Amino acid sequence: MSTAIRELVSWGLVRTIPQPGSRRFLVEAADGFEQLLAASHQRTRTFTRTLRAVEELTENAQAADRPRDITDLFTSYVDAGEQVLRQRPQRHTNTQGSSC
């Protein structure tokens, strides 16, 4: 369970709230679809920065084409996701925590 919670925290989908005097903590859900997409975009941007660094280190122009193609693909993914977020009506959700 704790491994799964750590993974969810790393994606920005939940946050943990320590409970004073206890080893337990509350797990609180993040804001939903928008938060999931924003976390995914952040990881993708990190990945594309790494791919761009690979491109710069590649001495062969043909070998640089592959990371450039992948960078273009993931950049398009982020651009499309950002467009979805802009078109989506703003919603306010209540989050509820559960004890672990």
Side-chain angles (χ1 to χ4, degrees), residues 39-59:
S40 177
H41 288 172
Q42 184 58 38
R43 284 185 174 231
T44 302
R45 287 183 186 106
T46 300
F47 182 58
T48 56
R49 281 192 299 272
T50 302
L51 287 172
R52 285 189 185 104
V54 168
E55 277 182 61
E56 292 174 13
L57 295 173
T58 305
E59 295 176 8

Side-chain angles (χ1 to χ4, degrees), residues 85-99:
L85 288 176
R86 282 192 300 273
Q87 293 174 349
R88 196 170 159 87
Q90 294 296 318
R91 294 183 353 193
H92 299 285
T93 58
N94 293 330
T95 56
Q96 296 181 352
S98 63
S99 179

Side-chain angles (χ1 to χ4, degrees), residues 14-90:
V14 300
R15 59 192 145 266
T16 57
I17 304 167
Q19 299 301 291
S22 173
R23 291 180 52 199
R24 292 180 158 225
F25 51 86
L26 291 178
V27 177
E28 183 177 65
D31 294 331
F33 174 75
E34 291 83 1
Q35 183 69 24
L36 171 63
L37 205 50
S40 177
H41 288 172
Q42 184 58 38
R43 284 185 174 231
T44 302
R45 287 183 186 106
T46 300
F47 182 58
T48 56
R49 281 192 299 272
T50 302
L51 287 172
R52 285 189 185 104
V54 168
E55 277 182 61
E56 292 174 13
L57 295 173
T58 305
E59 295 176 8
N60 180 324
Q62 187 176 9
D65 286 345
R66 182 73 173 148
R68 188 176 305 112
D69 289 345
I70 296 169
T71 300
D72 291 346
L73 173 70
F74 282 106
T75 300
S76 296
Y77 158 75
V78 171
D79 291 345
E82 294 293 330
Q83 183 177 359
V84 166
L85 288 176
R86 282 192 300 273
Q87 293 174 349
R88 196 170 159 87
Q90 294 296 318

